[in-house]
Amino acid sequence: MVARTVGLSDDGVNYHLTRLGRRLHTPNRTALVARAYVLGLLSPTAWPPEPHP
């Protein structure tokens, strides 16, 4: 679903999530999302999550 929404292949989405996980030093996707909220990269008041301006 994410791949279709952003216009990437499944492999493309996985590639970018892996790179973000390495950059933010997270062991898995759940930790990646949690770290993104803590760092203010995702807005806690928006659903679905969207980048924080």
Side-chain angles (χ1 to χ4, degrees):
M1 187 170 93
V2 172
R4 279 190 303 248
T5 302
V6 297
L8 295 173
S9 67
D10 291 343
D11 289 337
V13 171
N14 289 331
Y15 168 80
H16 288 292
L17 288 173
T18 300
R19 297 271 303 175
L20 283 169
R22 286 182 190 153
R23 181 171 282 199
L24 297 178
H25 308 289
T26 56
N28 55 48
R29 289 183 185 188
T30 303
L32 175 61
V33 172
R35 178 82 42 99
Y37 276 115
V38 168
L39 295 174
L41 301 174
L42 292 174
S43 174
T45 59
W47 188 258
E50 57 186 41
H52 191 63

